[in-house]
Amino acid sequence: MEKIRYALDLLGNPEGNLPIIHVAGTNGKGSTIAFMNQLLQSQGLRVGTFVSPHMVSVHDRICINNQPIADEHYRQLLEQILDLEQEVARVYEPFRYFEVMVLMMFLYFKDKALDVVLLEVGIGGLLDTTNVVDPLVSVISTVGMDHQDLLGSSLGEIAEQKAGIIKPKRPVVLGPVRPEVLEICQRKAEQAGAPLYRSGWEFQLEEGRFENGSLALDALELGLAGRHQEENAAVALQAFWLFMQASEREIDREKAKQALAQTRWAGRLEQVSQRPTIFLDGAHNVPAVERLVAHIQNQREQDVTILFSALKRKDFKEMLELIQRELPKANLLLTSFAYDGAISDEDGLAGSTYVADYQAFLKEWRKKGVGSLYITGSLYFISQVRRLFEHKY
C-alpha cells in the first residue's frame, strides 16, 4: 500500500477527485457492477468501470460507458507508468501487473468528466491496490472461502479483509452473508461511523419487487439468469439509490427497470449457443459452484454435461466433489487449458472423465450434443473458451 500511495503522489493523486463506488466481495462483484453500470447509464450518466479479469481483451478492464480504452491511449499510459516505475523502483520493488492497471485506470479516468466510477477490488479489500480511494459508497457483495493463501484460512479472517474497504462516514451496502461475517462488518461500520445497509434488512428484492423504505420498484425482470442474480441486483439497486441520493439526482424508475432487464455480463451463466444449449459460467470457487449447482437443479434438466477446468491453487477437488454429490446424474468432464498452473489429467476424481482437447470436444458437441452443456471453472478458462464463440467457432 505504501508503494501505490507513493506512486499516486508522484502522479499528482489522480484518484483524489473521482466519484467512486468501491466494490469488494468473494463472488458477485462483476455482476453487481454490471447492474449498476446499466442503471447509472440509464439515467444519462457517464460511467467509468474497472473490472478484472478480462474476458476478451485487457482493454476491457477500463471502460467508459461500455467502451474499452482505445489502444492508442492504453499504450501512451503504459509508457507513462513504465517511466514512473523507474522512479518508484528507487524506493520500492517494481510494479506488479495489477498495480500497473490500477495506475493506468486512475490516469485515464482523471480528465474524462465522469459522473461515477465503478471500481472493483482485485483481491480482498484491506490491502488491495484499489483501497487508496475515499468512495461515495462501499459495496461488499458476498463473503466466502477463496484466496485463503492471501486472505486467511477462516471466514472471519477473510471478512476482516473484505470489510477493510469500509471508510469513515461512507455508506456501506452489504449483500447476503453469514452471521459471523455480518457481525464483523457491523463492528467495522460502527467504528468508522459508516451507515450500514444490509440485504434482507434495510433493503430486499423478492418476487420481482425491490424495496428499501424510500424506493420501491415492481415487476422487475433481470437480464442475468440465476437466483443469486436477484441478490446481486438488490445490492446494485441499493448502491445506485445511495449514489443518486448523495448526488441529489432524481431517479427515472421506468428507465431503471429497463436497465435491469437489459443487463448482460460476459461469462456469468451466459448462453452462447441455443442449439445445442451451451452456457459459460465462471464458477471459480466453492461458493460460485454452489450457485451454479442450485441453478442447474432449479432447471430440472434431464441431460446435463459439465465441462470443468480450474487452477491447481484453487479448491478444485472440493468443487468437483460438490458437483458429483449434488448433480449425480450429470456427465462431468475435466479438461485443461493454456495457463500456468491449470489442472491436468492427473488431477481428476473417480467418476469424472478427462478431455484432452476441449476445442475438439466443443466442435463435436456443437454437431451432435444432446441436452445442455455448462462450461465452468476458472475465469481464465472461460475467457479462452469465450473467444472461440466470439469468432463463431
Side-chain angles (χ1 to χ4, degrees):
M1 298 304 293
E2 287 184 11
K3 179 175 61 173
I4 196 71
R5 289 193 177 100
Y6 179 64
L8 288 167
D9 286 344
L10 292 175
L11 292 172
N13 296 108
E15 81 288 359
N17 295 318
L18 291 174
I20 290 171
I21 298 177
H22 200 195
V23 183
T26 302
N27 293 302
K29 298 188 297 293
S31 297
T32 300
I33 285 176
F35 281 122
M36 284 194 291
N37 185 28
Q38 201 73 23
L39 284 164
L40 291 160
Q41 286 191 56
S42 76
Q43 308 300 303
L45 302 186
R46 186 168 165 82
V47 185
T49 53
F50 179 75
V51 300
S52 61
H54 54 271
M55 279 287 118
V56 179
S57 166
V58 68
H59 300 71
D60 299 336
R61 295 186 180 214
I62 305 172
C63 294
I64 296 177
N65 283 12
N66 301 330
Q67 293 300 310
I69 181 173
D71 189 58
E72 179 183 358
H73 285 133
Y74 182 89
R75 292 176 181 275
Q76 290 174 353
L77 291 172
L78 183 58
E79 290 177 3
Q80 185 175 349
I81 299 303
L82 292 177
D83 289 340
L84 173 70
E85 183 178 46
Q86 296 181 23
E87 188 169 354
V88 173
R90 296 173 185 169
V91 183
Y92 300 99
E93 64 183 7
F95 292 139
R96 296 177 181 177
Y97 174 77
F98 189 70
E99 291 169 335
V100 171
M101 296 303 301
V102 169
L103 291 169
M104 289 173 61
M105 174 269 298
F106 283 139
L107 283 175
Y108 183 61
F109 287 162
K110 176 184 176 183
D111 299 318
K112 295 298 181 181
L114 298 177
D115 294 301
V116 59
V117 172
L118 304 178
L119 176 59
E120 181 183 354
V121 165
I123 294 177
L126 177 64
L127 301 178
D128 187 73
T129 303
T130 65
N131 201 27
V132 293
V133 298
D134 182 21
L136 296 175
V137 182
S138 299
V139 174
I140 303 173
S141 58
T142 61
V143 178
M145 299 301 290
D146 196 17
H147 296 295
Q148 291 95 312
D149 55 329
L150 298 173
L151 303 181
S153 58
S154 71
L155 194 61
E157 290 175 328
I158 293 172
E160 291 280 352
Q161 291 294 317
K162 303 291 184 185
I165 70 165
I166 295 174
K167 299 296 191 303
K169 309 296 182 183
R170 299 304 193 186
V172 184
V173 181
L174 181 63
V177 295
R178 295 182 183 178
E180 62 191 286
V181 174
L182 177 59
E183 182 180 347
I184 289 169
C185 292
Q186 285 178 323
R187 171 168 50 81
K188 293 283 188 180
E190 288 173 4
Q191 291 172 349
L196 180 63
Y197 299 86
R198 303 161 296 174
S199 177
W201 297 70
E202 285 75 25
F203 67 94
Q204 59 185 353
L205 196 167
E206 291 183 356
E207 298 180 352
R209 176 180 173 82
F210 173 83
E211 190 168 5
N212 67 3
S214 298
L215 176 67
L217 295 173
D218 289 304
L220 298 181
E221 297 181 5
L222 305 182
L224 299 180
R227 173 65 183 88
H228 59 287
Q229 295 296 0
E230 294 180 15
E231 299 170 354
N232 294 331
V235 170
L237 277 165
Q238 181 65 20
F240 163 69
W241 177 80
L242 286 168
F243 171 80
M244 296 295 281
Q245 289 289 109
S247 56
E248 299 181 343
R249 290 181 168 96
E250 294 290 330
I251 294 176
D252 186 320
R253 301 187 180 202
E254 285 305 313
K255 288 183 178 178
K257 291 172 65 173
Q258 293 171 13
L260 293 171
Q262 294 168 356
T263 300
R264 302 290 183 269
W265 188 234
R268 277 70 168 186
L269 266 177
E270 179 186 14
Q271 187 168 358
V272 291
S273 174
Q274 292 185 335
R275 296 184 181 179
T277 304
I278 302 175
F279 291 91
L280 304 182
D281 190 59
H284 59 287
N285 52 37
V286 173
V289 170
E290 289 174 343
R291 291 180 166 189
L292 174 61
V293 165
H295 172 76
I296 295 173
Q297 290 172 332
N298 288 337
Q299 300 306 302
R300 299 183 180 179
E301 297 175 89
Q302 298 300 312
D303 199 337
V304 173
T305 298
I306 298 173
L307 181 64
F308 177 93
S309 195
L311 301 179
K312 293 182 181 181
R313 60 179 170 83
K314 293 282 189 171
D315 295 332
F316 71 91
K317 289 191 176 179
E318 189 176 349
M319 296 158 71
L320 291 171
E321 289 169 354
L322 173 63
I323 294 171
Q324 287 183 329
R325 182 174 64 252
E326 299 297 327
L327 300 171
K329 295 182 179 180
N331 180 25
L332 178 58
L333 307 176
L334 271 62
T335 190
S336 189
F337 63 106
Y339 196 92
D340 187 34
I343 61 174
S344 64
D345 57 346
E346 301 174 353
D347 300 309
L349 300 179
S352 62
T353 302
Y354 184 77
V355 173
D357 185 342
Y358 75 81
Q359 295 189 32
F361 167 80
L362 286 175
K363 280 186 177 179
E364 188 65 19
W365 177 269
R366 297 195 73 176
K367 293 178 182 176
K368 302 179 181 179
V370 177
S372 296
L373 172 64
Y374 291 85
I375 304 171
T376 189
S378 169
L379 284 168
Y380 299 105
F381 172 52
I382 297 303
S383 175
Q384 292 184 20
V385 174
R386 194 173 187 276
R387 289 189 195 116
L388 301 177
F389 289 92
E390 286 280 317
H391 293 91
K392 303 187 186 305
Y393 180 69

